[in-house]
Amino acid sequence: MTKMAENDYRLRCMRQMLRIRLVEETIAERYSEQEMRCPVHLSVGQEGTAVGVCDVLRSEDRVFSSHRSHAHYLAKGGNLNAMMAEIYGKRDGCIGGRGGSMHLMDPDAGMMASIPIVASSIPLATGTALSDKFDDNGKVTVSFLGDACLEEGVFHESANFARLRGLPVVYVCENNLYSVYTNLADRQPERPLTDVAKAHALESRHVDGNDLDAVREAASWAVETARTGTPTFLLLDTYRWREHCGPNYDNHIGYRTEEEFQTWRVRDPLERYRKQLEEAGILSAGSYAELERTLQAEVDAAFTFAINSPLPEPNEARAHVYA
Amino acid sequence: MTKMAENDYRLRCMRQMLRIRLVEETIAERYSEQEMRCPVHLSVGQEGTAVGVCDVLRSEDRVFSSHRSHAHYLAKGGNLNAMMAEIYGKRDGCIGGRGGSMHLMDPDAGMMASIPIVASSIPLATGTALSDKFDDNGKVTVSFLGDACLEEGVFHESANFARLRGLPVVYVCENNLYSVYTNLADRQPERPLTDVAKAHALESRHVDGNDLDAVREAASWAVETARTGTPTFLLLDTYRWREHCGPNYDNHIGYRTEEEFQTWRVRDPLERYRKQLEEAGILSAGSYAELERTLQAEVDAAFTFAINSPLPEPNEARAHVYA
Amino acid sequence: MSMPDLTSAAGAPVINMGTAIRDGLLEAARRDPSVIFFGEGVEDPGALFGTLKDIGKHIGHNRMIEMPIAENGLIGIAIGAALAGKRSVVTLQRVEFALLALEQILNNAAKMHYVSRGNHKVPLVLRMIVGRGWGQGPEHSQSLEAIFAHVPGLKVIMPAFAEDAKGMVTAAVEDDNPVVVIEHRWSHYTTSAVAEGYVHRPLDGPRTVRKGDGLTIVATSYMTLEAVRAADRLAEAGYPVEVLDLRVIRPLNLDPIVESVARTRRLLTVDTGFRMFGIGAEIASEVTSRCFDLLEAAPVRMGLPDHPTPSSRGLVRGFYPDAARIARTAAEMMGVDEAEIARIEGKILADRGDVPIDVPDPFFKGPF
Amino acid sequence: MSMPDLTSAAGAPVINMGTAIRDGLLEAARRDPSVIFFGEGVEDPGALFGTLKDIGKHIGHNRMIEMPIAENGLIGIAIGAALAGKRSVVTLQRVEFALLALEQILNNAAKMHYVSRGNHKVPLVLRMIVGRGWGQGPEHSQSLEAIFAHVPGLKVIMPAFAEDAKGMVTAAVEDDNPVVVIEHRWSHYTTSAVAEGYVHRPLDGPRTVRKGDGLTIVATSYMTLEAVRAADRLAEAGYPVEVLDLRVIRPLNLDPIVESVARTRRLLTVDTGFRMFGIGAEIASEVTSRCFDLLEAAPVRMGLPDHPTPSSRGLVRGFYPDAARIARTAAEMMGVDEAEIARIEGKILADRGDVPIDVPDPFFKGPF
Ligand SMILES: Cc1ncc(C[n+]2csc(CCOP(=O)(O)OP(=O)(O)O)c2C)c(N)n1
Ligand SMILES: Cc1ncc(C[n+]2csc(CCOP(=O)(O)OP(=O)(O)O)c2C)c(N)n1
Ligand SMILES: [Mg+2]
Ligand SMILES: [Mg+2]
C-alpha cells in the first residue's frame, strides 16, 4: 500500500469513528426528551472494532449485528437519516419503525440485519456465507458478536459448520468484558477465548480492539483469509463506556468500578487515534475541529430529519406479514 | 492396588462385557420375532467404554445415557429383567413400557435416564452434578455422549458451566466415527476432538475405547478428578458393529466399508480382553466357557421374564402426567 | 378501581406485583433449603426487574446461580438439578429467550415424570416475562402461553394481581411439577394490599374478580386489568358483566367459567397472546361444547392481531386490546345501542387521558 | 377406498406419498437452481425415509448439504442462505428435532420479512416428520403443528395424499415465505396415481374429499385417511358425511369449512396432535362464531389425549383416534341409534382385522 492510500484509510477511519461517536453522544444527550421510545444500546468506547473491521470490507460484503448495532450499521455504510428515523419510530426509518434501535438494517449497504436475541444472527451470517460460496461471488460476511455469544451453543454449531464447509465468514468477537451487568469471569472459565475458535479449527487473531490500526490489520487478514474460503475468528478487546441499555454512565451502581472504567477511558479508540494521526502529522487540531463541526452538522440534520418524519399509520402494521 | 484387587476388577469387567454382549446378541437374534416392538440401538463392539467407565463408579454415582443405552444401563447395575421387559413393552419394564429401549432408566442403580434426543441428557447430567455439589455428597455424574453430541450447542453450554462452577461431572465421548450413516469427517472439521474440551478449559484424556484397561485407568483419573470438583472429558475411540438402529450388520449398504469394519472387528474389546486375561493366566478357556453358559442362562431367563410379563393396560397410560 | 373480593389482606402493606413475587419466592426459599435460583444477572443491580432483589442476602448467595447466556443448557441444568432433589427457579427477562430451550422444557421437563412412571419429579419453576411498550418490538414482546399450554406435563400460570401472584409463585415453587410462570411486565407495576409472610394460593383455576349477569369475560394476566376497567364502566352504565381472571392456563379448570356462562349465556375471552390458535380458542370451543344450548351467541375472542409486534408507537395503535375495545365488544354482544356504547367508550378513553400508548397507564397501578 | 375427486392424474403411475414428495422436490429443484437441500444424512442410504432419494444425482451433490447434528445452528444457516437468495429445504426426521431451533424459526424465519418491511424474504421449507408406531414413544411421535400455527409469518401445511403432497411441496419450495411441512410417517406409505413432471397445488386451503350432508369432518394429515374410512362406512349405512382435508393450517382458510357446515350444521375436527390447545380449537371456535345460528350442536374435537405418547403397544390402545371412533363420534352427533353405530363400528374393526396396533394398516396404502 502506498503512503497515500494509507493516509487515506487512516483519515477515513478516524472520521468514521468520530461520526459514530457524535451520533451516539447525541442520542445519549437527547434520549431524556423521551422521543426515542425504544431501548438503545450504545457502542461509545467501542467504535474501533466496528470501524476497523468494516473499513476492510467491500461495499457488497455483508454484516450481521446484534442489539448493539449503531456502530456496525454506520461503519458498514448504513444510511444515517434512516437510522435516526428508525430510532425515533418514524415512517422514514430504515424499516419504517417496525424494529427500532435493536433491528437496524440496510441491506443495500450490506448491513443485512441486527438481531436482538443474543447470538441469533450468527447462523444467519454463516448462512449468507454459504449462499455466497455457492454463488462464488467473492463476498465475505462478518458476524459481529459479543463475548456472551461464546456461551450460546449456536455459536459453536455455526463455527463448526463454517469450518467444515470452508465458508467466507469472519466471526468478530467484541469482548467488552460484560454481558449486561455480569463480568466475563462469572460466565466463563478462565482460558484464552481464542481456544473457543480452536475447538472448531478456526484460525484466529487476538488484538486490542481500541487500537484502530491493529484491528484493521487483523481484520484485513481475517477478511481476506475468509474470502479464500477459510473462515476466521477475531478477538477484539474493548469496553463499553455507558450503561448496557440506555444513555447513562453507570459506574456507581456496583457491578464495575470507576477505576476499571478509567483504565479503559484513557484507551479511548478515537482519542488515541486522533493523537496518533496528529503525531504522525496527518491531522491538525484545526482540521479535526473542522471535521467535528461538519459531522455534528450532519448528525443534527439527521435528528431533524427523524423528528420531522411522520409516525407511521397503524394500518401499515398489517403489511408484509407474508411475501 | 494389590494384585488380588486388580485381578478382581479384571474378571469383573470381563464378565460385564460378556454379559452385555450376550444380552445384545440375543436381542439381535430374536428381534425378527417382532415382539420387541421398539427401535433398538445396539452397542455391540462398544462394550469397553461403558464397562471401563462404570466400573470405577460408586453405586450412588449417576449416569445419563442416550438412545444407545443398553450397555450403560447394564454396566451401571441396572436390572436386566426390567430392561428386557421394557424393550418388550411390558408392565414389568423398568418404566412399565412407557419408553422402550431408548428411555431405559434405573434411578436406584444410579442410572438416571436415557434420553433419545441427541445431546439432550448432557445438561441434565450437569444439573445433577450441580445439585450434588450443593449437597456435598461426593457423588459424580457421568454423561455418556456420542461424537455427534459435540456438534450440538448444548454440549458446549453445559461444559462451559460445569467448568465455571467446578462440577463433579465427567463427559465421556464415545467416538464411534458415525452419526447414523454419516462419518465424522462429513460433520466436523479436522482437529483433535479434545480441543473441544479445551475450549471450555476442561482437562481431558484420549484413549483407545476398546482397551478395557486403558479406559478404566483414564476413567479412574476422570472420575476422581471430577469428584474433587474439576469436571473432565474423556475421548474414547470405538466402533459400532451393527447398524445404527436395528439388529443387522450393514457394511454392504454403502456408507462404510467391510474393511473398516474388519479393522475394528479384530479390536473387539471383549475378545482382546479375554485373550489378555488368558495370557496373564487369570482366566482359562474352560472358566470362560462356563461363565458364558451361566450368563447366557441369566439372559435367557430375562427374556423369558419379559415375554411372560403382561402388556400394560391402556388405562395405565393416563397415570403420572402430573406428580 | 377496587377489588375487595380479591384481597385477603386488608390493612396489609400495599406493594406491587413484582415485589410480591419477590416476597413469595423469598418466603418459599426460606422454608425449603432445596430452592435455588437461576438467572442471567441473578444478583445484579437489576435483579430481574427487582423480582429477585436481595434474595441472596437472605438465603445465601450460593443459592443464587448466575446463568451464562445459554438458555437451553442452563434450563436443562436446572431440570437436572430438580431431578436430584433441588427446587429450581429459573427467571428469564423475556419469554422469547425460552424459545432456545423448548426442547429441554417440552421434552425433559414436561415428560420426565411421566416417562419414568413417576420415578422422577421435576420441581421446576420457569418464570418468563412478557415485554410491552417503549418500542420493545417483535422479539421482546411475545406472550407465548399457547405453546406451553399445548404440552401435557407442564403447568402454566399467569398471575394478574399482587397478592395472588405472591401466593401463586409460592405454590409454583412447592409444586412437584414444572410450572411455567408467564408474567406481564405491566402487571409487575400493579399494587394491592399483600399479606406479609407466607401466602399460598393453590394453582386451582380461575377467580371471579367482577360479578355481573350480562356476559362472562375470561381474561389473562394484564388483560384482566383492562377487562376490569371495562367492566366497571359497563356496570356504571347499567350493564354489569362478570370478569374471571383465568390465572391457571394448564391444567385448565373450566368449571367456574362454565358455571358463569350458564348464567350469563355469553362469553368473551381476552388474551395477551396472538389470537389465532391462541388459548382463547380452547376456552371458547370447550365452553361451547359444554354450554351449547345455553349460549345466546357465539363466544368472542380478543387477542393480538395476526402479525408480529412492531416497535413504533405509531404502529402499535390498536394492536393491543384495551378497556375501550373490550367494553365495546362486550356491549355489542349484549345488544347495547351504539350511542350508549360510544358514551361508555368515551368515558374510558377520558379516564386514560393522554397517557402515551407505549407506557403503562398509572391507573392500572391500583391498589386493587 | 377410492378418491376420484382428488386425483387429476388418472392413468398416471401409482406411487406413495413419500416418493411423490421426493418427485415434487426434485422437480422444483430442477426448475430453480437456487434450491438447496439440508438434512442429517441428506444423501445417506436412508435419504430421509427415501424422500430425498437420488436428488443429488440429478441436481448435483453440491446442492445436498449434510447437516451436522446441530438443528438450531443449521436451520439458522438455512434461513441465512434464504436471505441471500437460496431456496433452502430442510428435512428433519422428527418434529421433535425442530424444538431445538424454535428461536430461529419463530423469530428469524417467521418475522424477517415483516421486520424488514418486506426488504428480506425467507424462502425456506422446513419439513418435519411425525413418528408413530413401533414403540416410537414420547419423544419421537409428537405432531406439534399447533406451535407453528400460532406464529404469524409462518405457513404450515400437512399433506395427506400423494399427488396433493407432490404439488404442495412444489408450491412450498416456490413460496417466498417460510413453510413448515408436517408429514405423518404413516402417510408416506399411502399411494395414488400421481401426475408425472411438474405438479403445483396452491397452498390455498382445505379440499373436500368426501361429500355428504350429515356432518362436516375437518381432518388433518393421516387422520384424513381414518376419517375417509369412517365416512365410507357411514355412507354405506346411509349416513353420508362430508370430509375436508385441511391441508393448510396457516394461513387458515375457513371459507370452505364454513360453507360445508352451513349445509351440514355439524362439525367434527380430527387432528394428529394433542387435542388440548390444539388446532381443532381454532377451527371449532371460529366456525362457531361464523355459523352460530346454523349449528345444530357444538362442534366436537378429536385429538390425542392429555398425556405423552407411551411406547408400548399395550399403552397406546385407544391413544390415537381411528376410523371406528370417528365413525362412532360422527354417528352419535347425527343421532344415529346405538345398535346401528355398533354395526358400523364393527364393520370398520373387521376391515382392520388383526393388523397390530403399532403398524400402519395396509388398507391405508390406497391407492386413493
Ligand atoms: C438469548 C438471549 N438471552 C438473553 C438476552 C438478554 N440480553 C440482551 S443483550 C445481552 C448481553 C449480551 O452480551 P454480549 O453478547 O457480550 O454483548 P454486549 O451487550 O456486551 O455488547 C443480554 C444477556 C437476549 N437478548 N437474548
Ligand atoms: C436432536 C436430534 N437430532 C437428530 C436425532 C436423530 N439421531 C438419533 S441417534 C443419532 C446419531 C447420533 O450419533 P452419536 O451421538 O455419535 O451416537 P451413536 O449413535 O453413534 O452412538 C441421530 C442423528 C436425534 N435423536 N436428536
Ligand atoms: Mg459483552
Ligand atoms: Mg457416533
Side-chain angles (χ1 to χ4, degrees):
Chain A
M1 209 186 278
T2 66
K3 184 84 193 158
M4 192 53 218
E6 246 188 272
N7 288 355
D8 219 28
Y9 95 73
R10 289 187 185 185
L11 287 172
R12 190 170 67 225
C13 288
M14 221 278 315
R15 183 180 182 286
Q16 189 64 281
M17 283 197 287
L18 176 57
R19 181 163 176 265
I20 294 168
R21 175 71 55 89
L22 294 175
V23 170
E24 291 209 302
E25 289 292 353
T26 310
I27 292 173
E29 206 179 294
R30 303 189 65 162
Y31 196 71
S32 63
E33 292 167 5
Q34 307 210 6
E35 291 297 325
M36 291 174 264
R37 298 175 81 85
C38 65
V40 293
H41 301 79
L42 303 181
S43 304
V44 178
Q46 306 193 176
E47 298 87 350
T49 53
V51 172
V53 171
C54 291
D55 193 66
V56 304
L57 294 178
R58 300 178 187 161
S59 139
E60 66 271 23
D61 287 336
R62 307 177 193 267
V63 160
F64 282 86
S65 179
S66 64
H67 56 287
R68 196 177 307 287
S69 63
H70 302 175
H72 305 142
Y73 175 96
L74 292 172
K76 187 60 179 72
N79 182 292
L80 174 59
N81 282 354
M83 166 177 156
M84 289 318 309
E86 187 61 33
I87 295 175
Y88 273 87
K90 298 303 187 67
R91 198 157 68 194
D92 296 304
C94 57
I95 44 177
R98 287 172 175 236
S101 159
M102 298 195 292
H103 290 269
L104 294 184
M105 62 178 78
D106 188 340
D108 291 337
M111 176 68 197
M112 294 292 290
S114 303
I115 307 281
I117 302 294
V118 167
S120 178
S121 67
I122 299 172
L124 301 183
T126 311
T128 56
L130 175 69
S131 177
D132 290 334
K133 174 152 179 150
F134 264 104
D135 295 344
D136 196 16
N137 59 15
K139 292 187 195 179
V140 164
T141 302
V142 167
S143 173
F144 280 108
L145 49 107
D147 44 296
C149 295
L150 302 182
E151 294 147 39
E152 288 282 6
V154 77
F155 166 76
H156 298 271
E157 298 181 358
S158 303
N160 175 71
F161 185 75
R163 186 64 175 93
L164 178 70
R165 310 278 308 193
L167 303 185
V169 59
V170 182
Y171 300 107
V172 178
C173 179
E174 294 172 284
N175 178 14
N176 63 8
L177 293 175
Y178 290 91
S179 167
V180 192
Y181 301 133
T182 307
N183 193 281
L184 186 59
D186 296 322
R187 295 179 285 115
Q188 298 180 29
E190 224 188 289
R191 86 299 189 199
L193 292 187
T194 48
D195 277 2
V196 173
K198 218 176 144 203
H200 309 294
L202 292 182
E203 267 189 85
S204 65
R205 295 276 163 94
H206 176 189
V207 302
D208 179 350
N210 286 5
D211 175 345
L212 194 277
D213 283 330
V215 171
R216 195 172 178 285
E217 199 190 312
S220 183
W221 162 81
V223 169
E224 293 320 317
T225 305
R227 217 181 287 287
T228 67
T230 304
T232 48
F233 181 88
L234 282 187
L235 176 61
L236 307 177
D237 301 329
T238 187
Y239 200 77
R240 147 176 73 70
W241 287 10
R242 292 175 181 265
E243 59 192 341
H244 167 70
C245 179
N248 302 307
Y249 287 95
D250 69 351
N251 304 318
H252 57 289
I253 67 171
Y255 75 97
R256 61 184 190 181
T257 62
E258 181 66 24
E259 295 71 60
E260 184 180 270
F261 168 64
Q262 288 305 339
T263 340
W264 285 92
R265 177 76 187 70
V266 300
R267 296 161 66 186
D268 179 0
L270 174 62
E271 181 58 15
R272 251 166 95 181
Y273 208 54
R274 187 189 62 75
K275 271 205 197 120
Q276 223 170 287
L277 298 203
E278 272 191 28
E279 278 159 22
I282 300 166
L283 186 73
S284 71
S287 61
Y288 183 80
E290 171 60 28
L291 183 61
E292 200 168 356
R293 264 193 306 276
T294 317
L295 290 173
Q296 186 65 52
E298 189 204 354
V299 171
D300 292 341
F303 275 74
T304 305
F305 173 84
I307 289 162
N308 289 340
S309 173
L311 279 174
E313 287 300 317
N315 67 342
E316 294 177 28
R318 288 190 289 273
H320 302 302
V321 181
Y322 291 98
Chain B
M1 208 188 278
T2 66
K3 184 86 192 154
M4 192 54 217
E6 247 189 88
N7 288 355
D8 219 28
Y9 97 72
R10 290 187 185 186
L11 287 172
R12 192 171 64 224
C13 287
M14 221 280 312
R15 184 179 182 286
Q16 188 65 277
M17 284 197 287
L18 176 57
R19 182 163 174 264
I20 294 169
R21 176 72 54 92
L22 294 175
V23 169
E24 292 208 301
E25 289 292 354
T26 310
I27 292 173
E29 204 179 295
R30 303 189 66 164
Y31 196 71
S32 63
E33 292 167 6
Q34 308 209 6
E35 291 297 324
M36 290 174 264
R37 298 177 81 87
C38 65
V40 293
H41 301 79
L42 303 181
S43 305
V44 178
Q46 305 192 177
E47 298 88 348
T49 53
V51 171
V53 171
C54 291
D55 193 65
V56 304
L57 294 179
R58 301 179 186 160
S59 138
E60 67 271 22
D61 286 337
R62 307 177 192 268
V63 160
F64 282 86
S65 178
S66 64
H67 56 288
R68 196 176 307 286
S69 62
H70 302 173
H72 305 143
Y73 175 96
L74 291 171
K76 187 61 177 73
N79 182 294
L80 174 59
N81 282 354
M83 165 178 157
M84 288 318 309
E86 186 62 32
I87 295 175
Y88 273 88
K90 299 303 187 69
R91 198 157 68 195
D92 296 305
C94 58
I95 45 175
R98 287 173 175 235
S101 159
M102 297 196 292
H103 289 269
L104 295 184
M105 64 177 78
D106 188 340
D108 291 338
M111 177 67 195
M112 293 293 290
S114 303
I115 307 281
I117 303 295
V118 168
S120 178
S121 68
I122 298 174
L124 302 182
T126 311
T128 56
L130 175 68
S131 177
D132 291 334
K133 174 149 178 153
F134 264 105
D135 296 344
D136 196 18
N137 60 17
K139 292 186 194 178
V140 164
T141 302
V142 167
S143 175
F144 281 108
L145 50 107
D147 43 297
C149 295
L150 301 182
E151 293 148 38
E152 288 282 6
V154 77
F155 166 76
H156 298 271
E157 300 182 356
S158 303
N160 175 69
F161 184 75
R163 186 64 175 91
L164 179 70
R165 310 277 308 193
L167 303 185
V169 59
V170 182
Y171 300 107
V172 178
C173 178
E174 294 172 284
N175 177 15
N176 63 8
L177 292 175
Y178 290 91
S179 167
V180 191
Y181 301 133
T182 307
N183 193 282
L184 186 60
D186 295 323
R187 297 178 284 116
Q188 299 180 28
E190 224 189 290
R191 86 300 190 199
L193 292 187
T194 47
D195 277 2
V196 173
K198 220 177 142 203
H200 308 294
L202 292 180
E203 269 189 82
S204 65
R205 296 275 163 93
H206 176 190
V207 301
D208 179 349
N210 286 3
D211 176 344
L212 193 279
D213 283 331
V215 172
R216 195 173 178 283
E217 199 189 310
S220 184
W221 163 82
V223 168
E224 294 320 316
T225 305
R227 217 181 286 289
T228 67
T230 304
T232 48
F233 181 90
L234 283 186
L235 176 61
L236 307 176
D237 300 330
T238 186
Y239 200 76
R240 149 175 73 69
W241 288 9
R242 293 174 181 266
E243 59 192 340
H244 167 70
C245 179
N248 302 309
Y249 287 94
D250 69 352
N251 303 319
H252 57 288
I253 68 172
Y255 74 98
R256 61 183 189 181
T257 62
E258 181 67 24
E259 295 70 59
E260 182 180 270
F261 168 65
Q262 290 304 338
T263 340
W264 284 93
R265 176 75 187 73
V266 300
R267 294 162 67 186
D268 178 1
L270 173 61
E271 182 58 14
R272 250 166 99 182
Y273 209 53
R274 186 189 65 71
K275 271 204 194 122
Q276 223 169 287
L277 299 203
E278 273 191 26
E279 279 160 21
I282 298 165
L283 185 73
S284 71
S287 60
Y288 183 81
E290 171 60 27
L291 183 61
E292 199 167 357
R293 263 193 306 279
T294 317
L295 289 173
Q296 187 64 54
E298 189 206 354
V299 171
D300 292 342
F303 275 74
T304 305
F305 172 84
I307 289 162
N308 290 339
S309 173
L311 279 173
E313 288 300 317
N315 67 342
E316 294 176 29
R318 288 191 289 275
H320 302 302
V321 181
Y322 291 98
Chain C
M1 51 190 176
S2 68
M3 196 136 325
D5 51 338
L6 256 187
T7 43
S8 67
V14 171
I15 59 175
N16 72 28
M17 191 178 98
T19 309
I21 286 172
R22 177 262 182 202
D23 291 352
L25 294 172
L26 175 56
E27 208 60 52
R30 272 185 165 140
R31 291 162 68 103
D32 185 343
S34 68
V35 177
I36 55 177
F37 293 90
F38 295 75
E40 295 170 0
V42 71
E43 294 205 275
D44 76 13
L48 284 301
F49 307 112
T51 63
L52 300 180
K53 189 160 190 285
D54 288 340
I55 290 186
K57 275 197 196 149
H58 293 285
I59 66 167
H61 300 292
N62 64 321
R63 288 167 65 187
M64 308 301 289
I65 299 169
E66 181 61 30
M67 284 170 70
I69 314 303
E71 290 77 5
N72 193 30
L74 268 289
I75 287 173
I77 287 166
I79 296 167
L83 292 177
K86 296 291 165 285
R87 293 189 176 275
S88 301
V89 180
V90 182
T91 306
L92 300 175
Q93 277 92 342
R94 286 288 179 269
V95 174
E96 280 87 351
F97 307 162
L99 291 177
L100 286 160
L102 282 192
E103 197 283 308
Q104 289 295 326
I105 302 169
L106 270 46
N107 284 333
N108 291 339
K111 306 194 206 315
M112 188 65 92
H113 182 68
Y114 183 84
V115 175
S116 70
R117 197 171 44 175
N119 262 301
H120 284 305
K121 284 178 190 152
V122 185
L124 170 77
V125 175
L126 261 180
R127 298 174 54 220
M128 46 190 87
I129 291 152
V130 181
R132 176 170 168 183
W134 203 260
Q136 293 296 306
E139 298 181 3
H140 280 70
S141 61
Q142 293 168 89
S143 186
L144 299 172
E145 59 276 12
I147 292 180
F148 298 102
H150 188 51
V151 180
L154 296 179
K155 294 189 176 182
V156 182
I157 66 175
M158 297 181 82
F161 297 101
E163 187 175 84
D164 201 32
K166 179 175 180 181
M168 287 170 81
V169 295
T170 302
V173 173
E174 293 173 356
D175 204 294
D176 279 339
N177 299 287
V179 182
V180 173
V181 188
I182 301 183
E183 301 167 19
H184 196 286
R185 184 67 185 116
W186 283 14
S187 291
H188 278 162
Y189 303 115
T190 65
T191 57
S192 67
V194 176
E196 294 180 283
Y198 180 75
V199 179
H200 180 282
R201 292 284 177 90
L203 309 181
D204 54 2
R207 245 168 37 149
T208 307
V209 293
R210 283 294 182 274
K211 293 220 169 270
D213 285 334
L215 171 112
T216 301
I217 300 179
V218 175
T220 54
S221 182
Y222 174 74
M223 281 301 145
T224 307
L225 302 173
E226 296 278 358
V228 162
R229 183 180 224 171
D232 287 351
R233 283 301 190 192
L234 284 166
E236 214 178 81
Y239 310 99
V241 300
E242 198 133 303
V243 178
L244 279 81
D245 174 17
L246 186 58
R247 300 175 70 246
V248 181
I249 320 298
R250 169 176 272 276
L252 185 61
N253 174 7
L254 283 175
D255 294 345
I257 299 172
V258 167
E259 231 166 77
S260 172
V261 172
R263 195 161 20 81
T264 66
R265 295 166 176 256
R266 288 185 179 89
L267 173 66
L268 170 62
T269 68
V270 198
D271 312 341
T272 53
F274 295 122
R275 181 180 172 284
M276 283 276 292
F277 297 99
I279 61 163
E282 176 68 31
I283 296 164
S285 68
E286 199 60 21
V287 167
T288 300
S289 93
R290 287 172 62 178
C291 305
F292 186 71
D293 293 331
L294 299 169
L295 284 175
E296 299 265 359
V300 173
R301 297 176 288 140
M302 298 177 76
L304 302 187
D306 206 36
H307 62 78
T309 315
S311 170
S312 166
R313 65 195 183 283
L315 295 170
V316 292
R317 269 187 288 156
F319 182 75
Y320 291 103
D322 61 6
R325 190 135 51 94
I326 294 169
R328 162 169 291 277
T329 308
E332 284 173 357
M333 288 173 73
M334 292 186 288
V336 179
D337 73 54
E338 174 56 33
E340 180 82 336
I341 294 176
R343 224 176 37 82
I344 296 167
E345 208 179 25
K347 276 204 178 168
I348 294 172
L349 293 173
D351 286 346
R352 179 154 182 105
D354 54 5
V355 175
I357 193 173
D358 57 351
V359 294
D361 189 335
F363 178 88
F364 285 121
K365 286 204 171 149
F368 296 100
Chain D
M1 47 188 178
S2 66
M3 194 136 328
D5 50 341
L6 258 188
T7 43
S8 67
V14 172
I15 59 174
N16 72 29
M17 190 178 98
T19 309
I21 285 173
R22 177 260 181 205
D23 291 352
L25 293 171
L26 174 56
E27 208 59 51
R30 271 185 167 139
R31 291 163 68 103
D32 184 343
S34 67
V35 177
I36 55 177
F37 292 90
F38 296 75
E40 296 169 0
V42 72
E43 295 204 277
D44 76 14
L48 283 301
F49 307 113
T51 62
L52 300 180
K53 191 161 190 284
D54 288 340
I55 290 187
K57 274 196 198 149
H58 293 284
I59 66 167
H61 299 293
N62 64 322
R63 289 168 64 188
M64 309 301 287
I65 298 169
E66 180 62 28
M67 285 171 70
I69 313 304
E71 289 78 4
N72 193 32
L74 269 290
I75 287 173
I77 287 166
I79 297 167
L83 292 177
K86 297 290 165 285
R87 294 190 176 273
S88 301
V89 179
V90 182
T91 306
L92 300 175
Q93 278 94 344
R94 286 288 179 269
V95 175
E96 280 86 350
F97 307 162
L99 292 177
L100 286 160
L102 283 192
E103 197 284 307
Q104 288 296 326
I105 302 168
L106 271 44
N107 285 332
N108 291 340
K111 306 193 207 314
M112 189 65 91
H113 181 68
Y114 183 84
V115 174
S116 70
R117 198 171 44 175
N119 263 299
H120 284 304
K121 283 179 191 155
V122 184
L124 170 78
V125 176
L126 261 179
R127 298 175 55 219
M128 45 190 88
I129 291 152
V130 180
R132 176 170 168 183
W134 203 261
Q136 293 296 307
E139 298 180 3
H140 281 68
S141 60
Q142 292 167 89
S143 185
L144 298 172
E145 59 276 14
I147 291 180
F148 299 101
H150 188 50
V151 179
L154 297 179
K155 294 190 176 182
V156 182
I157 66 175
M158 298 180 83
F161 297 101
E163 187 175 83
D164 200 33
K166 179 175 180 179
M168 286 171 81
V169 296
T170 301
V173 172
E174 293 173 357
D175 203 292
D176 279 339
N177 299 286
V179 183
V180 173
V181 188
I182 300 183
E183 301 168 19
H184 196 286
R185 184 66 186 118
W186 283 13
S187 292
H188 278 164
Y189 303 115
T190 65
T191 57
S192 68
V194 175
E196 293 179 285
Y198 180 76
V199 179
H200 181 281
R201 292 286 177 90
L203 309 181
D204 54 0
R207 245 167 38 149
T208 306
V209 293
R210 282 296 182 273
K211 291 217 168 272
D213 285 335
L215 170 112
T216 302
I217 299 180
V218 176
T220 53
S221 182
Y222 174 73
M223 282 302 144
T224 307
L225 303 172
E226 296 279 357
V228 162
R229 182 180 224 171
D232 286 350
R233 283 302 190 190
L234 284 166
E236 211 179 84
Y239 310 99
V241 301
E242 199 132 303
V243 178
L244 278 81
D245 175 15
L246 186 57
R247 299 175 68 250
V248 180
I249 321 297
R250 167 177 274 277
L252 185 61
N253 173 7
L254 283 175
D255 295 346
I257 299 171
V258 166
E259 231 166 78
S260 172
V261 172
R263 192 162 22 80
T264 67
R265 296 165 174 256
R266 289 186 179 88
L267 172 66
L268 171 62
T269 68
V270 199
D271 313 340
T272 53
F274 295 123
R275 180 181 175 283
M276 283 276 292
F277 296 99
I279 60 162
E282 177 69 30
I283 297 164
S285 66
E286 201 58 22
V287 168
T288 300
S289 93
R290 288 172 62 178
C291 305
F292 187 71
D293 293 331
L294 299 170
L295 284 175
E296 299 266 357
V300 173
R301 297 176 290 141
M302 297 178 77
L304 303 187
D306 205 36
H307 62 78
T309 316
S311 170
S312 166
R313 66 195 184 282
L315 295 171
V316 292
R317 270 189 286 156
F319 182 77
Y320 292 101
D322 61 7
R325 191 135 51 92
I326 294 169
R328 164 170 288 279
T329 307
E332 284 173 358
M333 288 174 74
M334 293 186 287
V336 179
D337 73 55
E338 174 55 34
E340 181 82 333
I341 295 175
R343 226 176 36 81
I344 296 166
E345 205 179 27
K347 276 204 178 166
I348 294 172
L349 294 172
D351 286 345
R352 178 152 184 108
D354 53 6
V355 175
I357 192 174
D358 57 353
V359 295
D361 189 334
F363 178 86
F364 285 120
K365 285 203 175 151
F368 296 100

